[in-house]
Amino acid sequence: MSIYLGTHGKVELRRAFDGTDLRSVVNPSDVNVLRKRLSFDFKRGQLITGDQVEITSTNGAALSFFNSYSKTAIKRFINVDALGGIRFYTTFANAINGGKANAEALAELSTLAATALVAGTVYQIVTVGNSNFTSVGAATNTVGTVFTATGATTGTGTVVTAIPIRVIVQNADYRVVAQVNGFELNTQKEVIDTTVLSDEFRSQISSIMSGSGNMSCFWEYTGETVKDVPQYLLQLVLRTKVGSQFSARFYLKSNNHNPSGIAANANDEIWYEFEGVLTSCALQFNPSSAVQFTADFVTTGEIRLNVQLEGTEELLQEDSSTLRLDQDSAAKLLLESSDV
């Protein structure tokens, strides 16, 4: 009787990153202080709401477009709006909810005189005045031009420091996928035929193992902030440069469920753990049934079956009861473990 999923089984996903970074330049026009929104150039779909990203300046400059921030790197959760604008948050829940209230405050980039340019620094022209920025690296002497200065120039023109950045997706936490109603994980091992002409029976040896599977989720628009809404699966497969990799835990039995009726087994956990790549996603929308997502995947490495049994680290007496300390009757004596 396999009625665990949706009530006692669960699926956890951690968004993986293929190592490809996104690079851009933050210009003054990219920073909207009033709306707390940043709009640096990146291909739509590469970053999605809920991603945790690390932004680092590639020239050693401080990320001054964050209000009162003087470091060269920052890690935040993001919310991406319909126009591609990004707001930054300190928690995943706030990023999913979006809005200005909990978003990170931004600041205007500082203005410099043309006479204060530093060689090797990226700038954007704010006012031209009587300065000639083409003599120090600019392609044109017009407002809005971004260039790398070869040195200082003369005149009354002004610039702002345009900050070149590198963006890397950083997702370290597993998130429970909401409304999962089924999953399948298949493992296959290839065999190599080693039969020779003199053999009477066919001889084979095992070779490389591979895995594949699928999962399905009901979609429910509830404003969930603790769990990932299933539409993330559709967004994940559409990402090209950042990639559609993920790490997963498929639970056959989760804690706080006790089908055996034995109290000591209530928090036992059994789950598959693996890394994979989404290969396809589908949406089923019918008037007479619930909206449902399905996703197919292949594994990209080891498939592990993990079993965590409650109480296996306890030192037991002959009658299988636990050894307890006299000074604290609730304290149990445990076996030595290198994992503790």
Side-chain angles (χ1 to χ4, degrees):
M1 184 175 180
S2 57
I3 310 178
Y4 293 164
L5 204 56
T7 54
H8 304 295
K10 61 182 177 181
V11 171
E12 294 180 342
L13 290 185
R14 181 175 63 190
R15 309 158 196 200
F17 182 62
D18 65 1
T20 305
D21 54 16
L22 304 176
R23 292 178 180 262
S24 185
V25 176
V26 176
N27 300 311
S29 57
D30 295 331
V31 183
N32 189 320
V33 176
L34 180 62
R35 295 185 178 274
K36 299 182 179 180
R37 186 172 62 194
L38 185 67
S39 302
F40 64 85
D41 297 327
F42 67 95
K43 189 176 180 180
R44 292 288 300 276
Q46 305 302 331
L47 301 175
I48 59 179
T49 294
D51 276 345
Q52 185 182 34
V53 299
E54 182 179 34
I55 300 179
T56 306
S57 66
T58 57
N59 65 350
L63 300 179
S64 57
F65 51 88
F66 286 99
N67 190 39
S68 302
Y69 196 78
S70 59
K71 298 181 180 179
T72 59
I74 193 170
K75 187 183 294 185
R76 290 290 187 270
F77 294 94
I78 63 172
N79 180 285
V80 184
D81 63 24
L83 299 178
I86 295 177
R87 288 191 176 106
F88 300 89
Y89 303 84
T90 57
T91 67
F92 173 79
N94 286 338
I96 294 296
N97 286 329
K100 292 194 302 180
N102 296 310
E104 193 87 12
L106 302 182
E108 300 285 354
L109 297 179
S110 56
T111 302
L112 297 174
T115 54
L117 301 184
V118 177
T121 303
V122 180
Y123 297 101
Q124 183 179 33
I125 300 174
V126 177
T127 61
V128 176
N130 59 0
S131 298
N132 182 14
F133 292 103
T134 58
S135 64
V136 288
T140 60
N141 203 43
T142 56
V143 173
T145 300
V146 178
F147 67 100
T148 300
T150 58
T153 187
T154 59
T156 59
T158 58
V159 298
V160 292
T161 304
I163 304 175
I165 60 171
R166 180 183 66 217
V167 181
I168 298 178
V169 178
Q170 299 277 335
N171 290 297
D173 298 330
Y174 280 93
R175 300 286 180 184
V176 177
V177 181
Q179 301 296 335
V180 175
N181 70 312
F183 67 74
E184 179 180 340
L185 177 62
N186 306 307
T187 55
Q188 307 90 27
K189 177 169 284 191
E190 299 175 3
V191 294
I192 300 174
D193 194 331
T194 59
T195 306
V196 296
L197 292 178
S198 60
D199 289 343
E200 295 184 26
F201 301 95
R202 185 173 298 279
S203 178
Q204 296 176 330
I205 61 174
S206 62
S207 181
I208 297 175
M209 178 176 288
S210 60
S212 62
N214 60 75
M215 60 182 296
S216 59
C217 312
F218 291 121
W219 187 75
E220 183 179 10
Y221 192 73
T222 59
E224 175 67 72
T225 60
V226 177
K227 300 178 181 179
D228 276 352
V229 290
Q231 66 201 48
Y232 168 72
L233 296 172
L234 295 182
Q235 294 173 308
L236 185 60
V237 79
L238 295 174
R239 298 200 297 182
T240 54
K241 187 173 181 180
V242 174
S244 55
Q245 294 87 347
F246 64 92
S247 299
R249 292 173 178 171
F250 282 10
Y251 283 82
L252 301 178
K253 182 188 180 304
S254 58
N255 58 10
N256 296 321
H257 175 52
N258 191 16
S260 68
I262 302 174
N265 296 340
N267 290 323
D268 291 351
E269 293 185 310
I270 304 173
W271 73 96
Y272 281 97
E273 188 168 352
F274 60 91
E275 295 182 356
V277 176
L278 287 178
T279 57
S280 66
C281 283
L283 168 65
Q284 300 174 11
F285 190 94
N286 298 306
S288 59
S289 60
V291 179
Q292 186 168 344
F293 294 102
T294 58
D296 297 327
F297 60 85
V298 295
T299 63
T300 60
E302 181 184 4
I303 302 171
R304 300 172 294 277
L305 177 60
N306 300 310
V307 179
Q308 181 173 308
L309 302 180
E310 188 181 54
T312 55
E313 76 282 2
E314 297 171 356
L315 189 61
L316 304 179
Q317 303 184 70
E318 292 181 1
D319 61 357
S320 297
S321 62
T322 57
L323 287 174
R324 299 180 181 270
L325 301 178
D326 291 336
Q327 59 269 36
D328 184 357
S329 60
K332 302 176 183 179
L333 192 61
L334 304 180
L335 295 171
E336 182 178 3
S337 172
S338 58
D339 296 331
V340 176

